[in-house]
Amino acid sequence: SSHEHKLNFKKSKEVCLNYIQDAMLQKQWKRAAEFLTFYIESLEKDFSTAYMGPSEMIWRIGTEILCHHSHSSMKQFNSFIEQMKTLGVKRYLKVCLEHAFHLLCNGLIDEAYQNLSLAESWRFGEQTAIQDREMKLIQAYRGLLDYCSWSKQKNILLEHGQNGFEDLSVEREMHSCFRKAAVNLKEIIKVPGVWDLFVKCYVDLLEYYGDHNEACQVLNEYAYNSKFPANPNAHVYLYQFLKRHGESKKSLISALKILHDIVPSHELMIDFNTMLQKSKKRKKRQLGLEVIFAALDYAGWKENVKAWSCLARQVKQIVISEKHLDWIKQEWNSRKDWWPAFHFSRYLAKRNWQENESLSYEKALVAGILLGKDCKYFKYVSHQGCKAQVKRFRILKKFVNKHNPVYLRISG
Amino acid sequence: MEFPAVLFPSYFSAGPPREEGGPGPAAGWGEYGQVLEAGPHRRQAETTFVPRRGGTGESWEPADAAPVPFLPPNASCWIPSLVPQDILYHGVLRRKLQAGKSGAALDFTKQLGHFFVDHPEDAFGSLGRLLHKNFYLGNSKLRVSVRPGVTMLPPTLPLAAASPSLCLFSPQRHARDNTIRMTALMEEIGRLEARRGCPRQHLAPRLRWFSHLCRDWLFEVPLGLLADCVHEELLLQWAGLLFDDSCTGGALAWLPPKDVGARMGRLVYPGGEAMNHLYFQDVVLEEMPRARGSPTQFELNGRIRQVAAARADGEDFIGIRSDYHCGVWRVPGRTGAAPTPLQVIRTSVPASCLTVSPHLPGELSVCTQSGAVYLWSIETGLQRLRHDPQTMFFRDHSPWRWSDFTAHPRVLSCADRTGLQCLDARAPERCHFDLFKVGEEAGCQQGERVVLPMYLGRAHPSQHLVTTQFSVYVLDERLPLVPVLKWAHMMKAPPLFAHLTTGGPERSHKVLLGASHTQELLLLQYQGGSRSACQLVGPPQKLHSIASCLQHLPVQLPHRHRMLQQRLGTPAAGLAAALQEDGLRESLLVFQLSEAGDVFCQRLTHEAAQPPAPTSGDEAMTAPGSSPLFETPASSPPALGTLRYRRWLKALSEGCGEPTRHAYPATLSQKRLFTRKELAMPAGPSTLHGQLRRQLRQTMREGGCIQRWDPLASQPCTPPQPLELAGDPDPLSTRLTAAWSGDWGQWWEERTSFNMAQRQRALRERRRRQKRARGRRSLSASFTSSLTYQSELSELSDVAPTPLSPGPPAVVPREGSPPAGVPPASPLPDEALLSSQSLRCRGIPKERRKTLRDYLAVWADDPPEPPELPGSQASQLCIPSSQSQLSSASQPRRKRPRMGF
């Protein structure tokens, strides 16, 4: 019966698909390609109402095979994709976008641009929400490519400017690129998402034409709109923008403070700490200590010499001045039960000494102050340092011995 | 800790997942996802782009055609794990699955029946003891002495048994008087088993009666309660078969060598019959990894579900999770140092997770199915961080919880099926943030659930892996909720095991995903996370599963093959990998543990600086019309592995050889075929009985076998005899010949007159015999018979002659080919078998006698009339002359179709 026939057909389709998957997962691209030619037959009797019909599978599998097959060429790839575009209306934009990505990754930027423009002009009935998103992405990527050619022309102009002559046609083209890019980029960054690439380009354009207000607004929106994900880069871009335009220390600090709240382990925390340490306000200096302690909580900072030297410097300052020992005490309280095992074990002393002498020096200083002169880390490193006749370790030992009472006050 | 300066673009929206139906079967292929400008802006050069997925990765090629056993087979005997057929109602599974319905019918009654049979003491113990004197199971008749007073048997059995004080008689007599014969009931039960599958099975009134009578008091545990418990357990078992998360994380761990370049590591795995022994085995990494010395062994009091290991401060800490106990071992830094157990905790609810901190020595995190998350420190003990039986983001019924460490040693990630949250152990109520949500934030599908989270700290301190049944995600703590990588893994079963092998700077990290039931193994590569954004590189790659070696093994006897198939196909229970560097050549050794406790190993080799050009293997593998995979080194695993296989197979067959009970020849209990009565001999044994008996005895003496039941099978099938016999053409041919030549009328005349004479002769003969046998026949029977006789006589003119050739009716052995030395059965026995007398002697009640005869009469009625076909089977059916008399008079005889008129 026809029902049975359908069932059998479905079964053999599944078997064939399994063979294809198996071959692909074992990187047997030629074998997979052979099976795919059989699978294409399934298009003729596509009864499925499934989410992913055979035509989408053929597009996906075919693309993958052509990307890895040893004998495939860009021409073949293009003709395959052109066929795929005609297979499904719902998928047209997605296929176009992926095609453009393929061209971009292979360095064919002009072809990709043409493709994107073509896709942009496509209309088919009412667009679904997904198609709407895909269309926005297509426009954004086209804007990105416009930006690329804009910056290329900008460089040409700069070069020409250095050589002392002007080129009006290049300048005109550059401006048209700017307009096209700006329109498209502006659209996508209104939608919540991660748009680092597009935001950067758009801000660059605005800055070049001197529209700082708009740029600042865009960056603020990107960083502080609660509908957007908590992207550390958004705050970094804002901070960098403020820094570029010589904004006040206060605004810089407030930008970094927010970054610190989101990502205490961000690499900018070193800058933040230095900035705060230089501050005359006590509160800021205390925040600086907090920031550096918090950064060193993270496993990724464990062997960061810069961070340890920041901490060592600030702790040393406090100990020498004997003011604000309570700051250290406050920070140390929540860490004293696990920092010794995490940072100052004998095993780490040995390893740090072997691998990075200056790291072990900074850490030994901190350990000596926080844990006293009997701490394993300090003992081992200062002993090794003295044995190796390194001068700074001898000074370090003297310093810690002299300020040992501090340890008692901190831990008490 | 750098953060990528630019991330790949992606949309972000909150809320429940919108996409329905799960990803399609090829969802992981053919997408770049997004692209990004590569590197910092180089003003002059042409901009280049890198894709999120699809960049070139490293090439890791499997060195062998199949995994090789790494250790001898586990325990001496192995109990195969539960399969759906064990608990599902027979026959329903396939139908249901074909119909696409997920509802499976659990065979609840069978399980309850098994319980009664396997544990009769627990099921009926006390009442059985009380009643056993009153139940008689013998064959002889039970004589009840009828005396005044004794006839007043108590109305119900239990009353009699429970109140012996009522009885006034001597114990012996009392016992006799209160005993009932249960033999018939037992036989009925025996038959019930034999009639399994018969549509009329339920018609066993005696059993119904008995069960109605005793349902309320016979059982030790009230039946309803017991049934509830069995049903609940069945549901649990079924859920476990559909998806068993108890082994999440895997029970296999590799402790890498202590020093860079050293070749000796350690494998930690469970073993023993109940998988409750913990082994630490030294392993030397060579061309083929080799176990050195015998393993250190610990016996635990529970099945080991998970083995987790991490290295902190140069020492390995190994966490072991069984259902109600978790333990931690330490392996000191020195090479060859013995592992020491440190601490054990007991949980009242099964633990579902145990992970070891990579930051602080002796810290672990434990989760239980009650929704509690603990930070467990060897020094300070347990600290409960959270206790919430509800899931985090939306309601899900699964009690599974997971927890792992993060970049901050005091912050733990907590997971349930709906997502991940990070908690600060110092203030768990206040400080937490959502790391991953099954929702639109990560672009999840509807119905997607977290299967296994894993901290990828060795690759990048702030990265986490999350697998669901559809996809695999890489998350960065610094950018919560938005996965930095996402890929549909297309695995058939959800990945329950994962392993990370880190690559150095500028190299990709290798992630191995493993599924339990399908034994799938998938290798993925990714890179980035600090300076550049995360990228999935290279195509995903499938590794060999344990079961895939079966096709390379030498041909086995069918039952051994099945055993091997079962053993090798057991679900996987763990996954580990070791990276071995040998100058420029690197290899990845992948160990896989099965639930039977076997450890297999396969090797992947990486040739540094190999161009991504076609490998020679690819070319060879695509020879048209061949099975390319197995062409490489013949159809057996390569030499190094072959020896291991041989040893493994030998050890397996020695240890788990066929159980001795299989040595008995198959026997069949005759009790299930016939009841005692049916087997009892009739008063006067007929000739057929005599013959059969003789034959049986003779065969028994000779030690041969009787093949009469299946005579056709014993001889080669001969082509049927040609219909036309020389000198005696069949009636159809004669008739046709006559019709052709025109004198058909004459032929008919001849025929009828001949038949008339023949039939009359036959009838007379029959009559004579009946008279002889009429001795003990009832009146009605004789009446019927006389009626039939007359009607038969009257019908003679249009009735076809009944052939007298002894054909095979359903009840008699066929006449076909008697074995040598046995005289062919005469028509007589058939008749004897069906005679009313013999039927009665056999205890067949009157009504059934009639039915039987009617049934046979149908066979007799059928032969098409006038011209019979003596050569064909149809007319050969036996109609013993003595039986037509018994067809009832009240039943009108059917008019036969008149062929040819």
Side-chain angles (χ1 to χ4, degrees), chain A residues 102-319:
Chain A
H102 184 81
L103 295 169
L104 284 176
C105 290
N106 284 286
L108 301 165
I109 292 172
D110 294 338
E111 284 87 339
Y113 188 85
Q114 279 166 23
N115 243 297
L116 290 171
S117 317
L118 209 68
E120 208 181 337
S121 61
W122 181 79
R123 291 284 175 275
F124 182 85
E126 227 169 87
Q127 280 179 0
T128 60
I130 294 172
Q131 280 174 331
D132 200 41
R133 285 176 153 207
E134 277 158 357
M135 186 57 99
K136 278 221 172 77
L137 263 183
I138 285 174
Q139 288 164 347
Y141 273 107
R142 203 175 64 91
L144 179 73
L145 294 184
D146 279 326
Y147 167 80
C148 286
S149 53
W150 173 83
S151 77
K152 217 195 274 172
Q153 268 139 9
K154 187 184 76 177
N155 288 338
I156 293 171
L157 269 187
L158 280 177
E159 247 170 62
H160 287 190
Q162 277 167 3
N163 296 343
F165 57 88
E166 285 179 20
D167 194 332
L168 277 175
S169 69
V170 173
E171 206 173 337
R172 207 177 304 126
E173 207 180 316
M174 179 180 140
H175 291 326
S176 88
C177 279
F178 156 73
R179 268 191 300 279
K180 281 191 277 182
V183 166
N184 283 333
L185 292 174
K186 194 182 173 181
E187 266 321 291
I188 194 133
I189 58 181
K190 282 182 193 157
V191 188
V194 177
W195 309 123
D196 292 0
L197 189 58
F198 305 134
V199 167
K200 265 190 128 167
C201 296
Y202 187 52
V203 168
D204 193 23
L205 287 174
L206 292 175
E207 276 186 275
Y208 183 82
Y209 290 101
D211 195 350
H212 298 307
N213 283 343
E214 168 86 3
C216 188
Q217 207 184 327
V218 163
L219 285 171
N220 269 307
E221 173 79 7
Y222 191 49
Y224 298 131
N225 189 334
S226 60
K227 280 185 184 159
F228 281 67
N231 183 357
N233 277 343
H235 300 274
V236 174
Y237 297 157
L238 183 63
Y239 166 72
Q240 284 167 344
F241 176 84
L242 295 175
K243 207 174 162 188
R244 266 202 304 273
H245 294 277
E247 293 290 331
S248 65
K249 272 266 154 61
K250 201 180 156 195
S251 56
L252 287 182
I253 285 174
S254 73
L256 283 180
K257 173 78 174 60
I258 289 166
L259 184 62
H260 165 72
D261 290 343
I262 305 172
V263 187
S265 63
H266 200 274
E267 75 239 42
L268 279 179
M269 290 307 117
I270 301 248
D271 294 12
F272 190 33
N273 173 265
T274 5
M275 208 185 287
L276 290 169
Q277 249 181 295
K278 282 181 198 155
S279 169
K280 286 186 185 106
K281 287 187 185 159
R282 268 193 308 166
K283 249 198 177 151
K284 296 237 165 102
R285 287 209 304 273
Q286 189 183 357
L287 181 65
L289 190 70
E290 213 181 300
V291 165
I292 200 69
F293 259 110
L296 281 170
D297 278 349
Y298 286 87
W301 289 78
K302 236 179 147 176
E303 283 162 15
N304 191 315
V305 190
K306 248 189 198 168
W308 279 108
S309 72
C310 281
L311 180 62
R313 201 189 317 140
Q314 197 166 359
V315 166
K316 206 173 162 185
Q317 262 178 23
I318 293 170
V319 168

Side-chain angles (χ1 to χ4, degrees), chain B residues 369-391:
Chain B
Q369 290 187 355
S370 64
V373 181
Y374 297 92
L375 178 64
W376 174 20
S377 164
I378 301 299
E379 280 166 20
T380 58
L382 287 169
Q383 180 197 352
R384 193 166 80 180
L385 304 183
R386 159 178 286 185
H387 181 83
D388 187 5
Q390 302 292 317
T391 44

Side-chain angles (χ1 to χ4, degrees), chain B residues 273-287:
Chain B
E273 247 171 84
M275 297 287 269
N276 64 332
H277 290 253
L278 179 68
Y279 295 98
F280 292 81
Q281 171 72 60
D282 284 332
V283 177
V284 184
L285 296 177
E286 286 173 351
E287 179 65 24

Side-chain angles (χ1 to χ4, degrees), chain A residues 21-22 30 98 102 141 237, chain B residues 5 25 29-30 32 34 542 619:
Chain A
Q21 293 266 42
D22 235 43
K30 284 186 183 171
E98 286 291 332
H102 184 81
Y141 273 107
Y237 297 157
Chain B
W29 300 117
Y32 284 98
Q34 302 288 339
K542 192 170 126 185
E619 298 298 320

Side-chain angles (χ1 to χ4, degrees), chain B residues 706-778:
Chain B
I706 303 175
Q707 296 189 325
R708 275 184 77 95
W709 297 108
D710 190 15
L712 292 177
S714 63
Q715 61 176 14
C717 192
T718 48
Q721 291 282 316
L723 282 178
E724 219 161 328
L725 295 169
D728 186 17
D730 66 305
L732 180 66
S733 320
T734 20
R735 181 179 153 194
L736 285 176
T737 319
W740 188 252
S741 54
D743 45 5
W744 182 77
Q746 197 200 336
W747 175 83
W748 180 244
E749 282 301 307
E750 274 174 24
R751 180 101 184 134
T752 39
S753 56
F754 165 74
N755 277 347
M756 189 76 133
Q758 200 178 32
R759 259 185 85 93
Q760 272 169 350
R761 214 168 39 242
L763 275 171
R764 250 175 242 129
E765 177 72 17
R766 197 185 333 164
R767 205 64 197 143
R768 243 199 331 271
R769 269 205 305 273
Q770 276 163 9
K771 267 185 190 156
R772 251 187 279 135
R774 192 168 287 169
R776 291 158 69 189
R777 193 174 292 159
S778 66

Side-chain angles (χ1 to χ4, degrees), chain B residues 683-850:
Chain B
S686 69
T687 22
L688 176 66
H689 280 120
Q691 268 173 21
L692 288 174
R693 255 166 207 284
R694 266 202 305 284
Q695 193 196 340
L696 189 66
R697 291 222 178 81
Q698 191 190 343
T699 325
M700 281 164 79
R701 263 198 302 279
E702 288 166 2
C705 61
I706 303 175
Q707 296 189 325
R708 275 184 77 95
W709 297 108
D710 190 15
L712 292 177
S714 63
Q715 61 176 14
C717 192
T718 48
Q721 291 282 316
L723 282 178
E724 219 161 328
L725 295 169
D728 186 17
D730 66 305
L732 180 66
S733 320
T734 20
R735 181 179 153 194
L736 285 176
T737 319
W740 188 252
S741 54
D743 45 5
W744 182 77
Q746 197 200 336
W747 175 83
W748 180 244
E749 282 301 307
E750 274 174 24
R751 180 101 184 134
T752 39
S753 56
F754 165 74
N755 277 347
M756 189 76 133
Q758 200 178 32
R759 259 185 85 93
Q760 272 169 350
R761 214 168 39 242
L763 275 171
R764 250 175 242 129
E765 177 72 17
R766 197 185 333 164
R767 205 64 197 143
R768 243 199 331 271
R769 269 205 305 273
Q770 276 163 9
K771 267 185 190 156
R772 251 187 279 135
R774 192 168 287 169
R776 291 158 69 189
R777 193 174 292 159
S778 66
L779 188 66
S780 66
S782 73
F783 177 63
T784 339
S785 73
S786 62
L787 255 183
T788 345
Y789 177 57
Q790 281 174 356
S791 71
E792 265 180 17
L793 277 180
S794 65
E795 275 183 50
L796 260 179
S797 57
D798 65 313
V799 165
T802 26
L804 280 169
S805 57
V811 269
V812 229
R814 275 168 185 259
E815 187 43 41
S817 63
V822 181
S826 67
L828 213 63
D830 305 347
E831 187 189 336
L833 269 175
L834 286 164
S835 76
S836 176
Q837 188 189 356
S838 72
L839 290 179
R840 204 184 58 180
C841 289
R842 290 164 159 271
I844 297 174
K846 210 186 291 163
E847 325 81 61
R848 267 175 65 195
R849 258 179 266 161
K850 198 178 85 52

